[in-house]
Amino acid sequence: MTQTMRWFGPADPVTLANIRQSGATGIVTALHDIPNGAVWTRDAIAVRKEMIEAAGLAWTVVESLPVHDDIKRGVPEAAKRIDAYVESLRNLAAYGIDTVTYNFMPLLDWTRTDLAWEMPDGARALRFELVAVAAFDLHILRRPDAARDYAPDIVAAADARFSAMSAGERDTLSRTILAGLPGSEEHFTVAELLTAIQRYDGIDIDALRQNHLAFLNAVCPVAETLGIRLVVHPDDPPFPIFGLPRSVSTEADVAALFMAVRSPANGLCFCAGSFGVRADNDLPGIVRRLGDRIGFLHLRSVQREQNGAFHEAAHLDGDAGMAAIVAEVYALQQRTGRAIPMRPDHGHQMLDDLNRRTNPGYSLLGRMRGLAELRGLERGISHNFRWLK
């Protein structure tokens, strides 16, 4: 695997020099200062690429080139948004970018309810708790008819949770849920989120899928001629949230995308954490069966809890079964002769990073630990593979 780390640009507290010392050879980044839907110019791309290469690192993977909400909703403005997307792809291809990550989640990227959940060893992890989401949805967001989307026991627990929370705790929960992705181009207030959700009235999972296919049918032919593989990141969490549909949550969802749009430019960002939230996703099997379409790997593990909760586990722990995943990736690379870009995802905040400003999930030391563990795992599998031959 080609070892990379995500970098959020010049404002990231983790520097390029830090990343190079971790052993990574590549950078995964995006132009977060450019609003969603605007064109990424060649000049802006060139400045970022020169900065990365001056640090002795390579940039061939974008994460992410956002898909504007107009495209996801399939409104008339979608056509001009797609035109801008295509222009950005052309500009990226001119600078050697061959993998572009995107997602098709309405409004919010990954959602968590605690950005500093304390682990038994004192490190801090990201955590999702459905009861906390319901408390926010029912009592802070006050989405009409939200109670219909939760089991009665979750509603009762959410009512009790909200009643017991202080004003400060309620504010922290709101800010955590609204945080979305570190470096995200879109930010909402509670009122703005409610308004944005209401714009999705009438858009169910089938409509969202059709809008996704329309996007791919428009963009993939151009990406194919440019030598770019578009890789879709699965939903995180992989189920509907706040009444919004989500349509890239299972192997069947992804396989249907590949069947509908057969272009080799239509690929997958395999995220072990996102897929791993669902016990019905067979993670090694996804790599084995869909591996030819995988263009990028997010290797992390979650520990599933009761009532839909989960937290980010150490990279080799939790429910992912990382050894089996990496073994399938190694076999895939041997079969295809290509090295797939990989990054350790959502590391724990630990050691000196506990006292530093960090992007949630993207502190240096936790990811460096994950990268070292994954590197060692791959080398062990490689050695065993050659010995068996």
Side-chain angles (χ1 to χ4, degrees), residues 188-210:
F188 296 103
T189 65
V190 170
E192 289 168 344
L193 176 60
L194 181 58
T195 298
I197 289 172
Q198 290 169 340
R199 294 193 189 106
Y200 273 84
D201 286 349
I203 299 177
D204 60 11
I205 189 171
D206 291 330
L208 185 66
R209 284 172 172 152
Q210 288 306 309

Side-chain angles (χ1 to χ4, degrees), residues 161-172:
R161 174 71 61 84
F162 183 78
S163 296
M165 295 172 73
S166 67
E169 289 170 333
R170 293 171 183 176
D171 181 63
T172 297

Side-chain angles (χ1 to χ4, degrees), residues 149-323:
D149 294 334
Y150 302 98
D153 60 326
I154 297 295
V155 172
D159 292 345
R161 174 71 61 84
F162 183 78
S163 296
M165 295 172 73
S166 67
E169 289 170 333
R170 293 171 183 176
D171 181 63
T172 297
L173 177 61
S174 295
R175 286 187 286 107
T176 298
I177 288 176
L178 295 172
L181 184 70
S184 179
E185 299 78 5
E186 299 291 339
H187 303 278
F188 296 103
T189 65
V190 170
E192 289 168 344
L193 176 60
L194 181 58
T195 298
I197 289 172
Q198 290 169 340
R199 294 193 189 106
Y200 273 84
D201 286 349
I203 299 177
D204 60 11
I205 189 171
D206 291 330
L208 185 66
R209 284 172 172 152
Q210 288 306 309
N211 295 340
H212 193 171
L213 292 177
F215 166 73
L216 289 173
N217 280 319
V219 173
C220 281
V222 179
E224 191 172 340
T225 64
L226 295 171
I228 285 179
R229 187 195 295 253
L230 294 164
V231 292
V232 64
H233 188 288
D235 304 325
D236 187 5
F239 44 76
I241 188 169
F242 302 129
L244 296 167
R246 289 196 160 178
S247 60
V248 189
S249 298
T250 67
E251 179 180 355
D253 292 336
V254 179
L257 279 180
F258 294 160
M259 287 291 292
V261 181
R262 295 178 178 269
S263 168
N266 179 22
L268 173 64
C269 170
F270 174 83
C271 180
S274 295
F275 282 131
V277 168
R278 295 181 59 129
D280 57 344
N281 277 329
D282 169 15
L283 304 188
I286 292 174
V287 177
R288 185 166 57 253
R289 290 182 288 271
L290 302 181
D292 289 345
R293 306 299 281 272
I294 293 174
F296 186 28
L297 298 158
H298 286 185
L299 297 185
R300 64 181 173 93
S301 181
V302 299
Q303 181 66 58
R304 295 188 291 267
E305 305 174 28
Q306 293 183 337
N307 295 324
F310 62 88
H311 65 268
E312 307 283 355
H315 286 77
L316 302 189
D317 296 332
D319 290 311
M322 194 61 70

Side-chain angles (χ1 to χ4, degrees), residues 52-71:
I52 292 168
E53 291 181 346
L57 296 160
W59 180 31
T60 61
V61 179
V62 161
E63 185 179 0
S64 296
L65 180 57
V67 177
H68 195 277
D69 200 57
D70 288 346
I71 298 172

Side-chain angles (χ1 to χ4, degrees), residues 36-38 68-71 77-86:
N36 285 1
H68 195 277
D69 200 57
D70 288 346
I71 298 172
E77 293 78 7
K80 70 176 182 180
R81 303 296 188 186
I82 289 175
D83 288 344
Y85 203 95
V86 166

Side-chain angles (χ1 to χ4, degrees), residues 69-142:
D69 200 57
D70 288 346
I71 298 172
K72 295 175 183 178
R73 291 190 295 124
V75 297
E77 293 78 7
K80 70 176 182 180
R81 303 296 188 186
I82 289 175
D83 288 344
Y85 203 95
V86 166
E87 188 173 350
S88 294
L89 290 179
R90 293 188 191 281
N91 293 339
L92 287 165
Y95 285 91
I97 304 298
D98 60 19
T99 304
V100 173
T101 314
Y102 75 99
N103 73 69
F104 221 78
M105 290 180 273
L107 300 180
L108 296 172
D109 276 333
W110 59 256
T111 301
R112 299 292 185 271
T113 56
D114 193 336
L115 302 180
W117 192 61
E118 189 166 335
M119 299 288 288
D121 63 1
R124 296 173 188 159
L126 306 180
R127 185 170 185 257
F128 176 94
E129 187 185 8
L130 188 59
V131 170
V133 167
F136 172 83
D137 197 4
L138 295 166
H139 298 289
I140 298 175
L141 186 64
R142 297 181 181 178

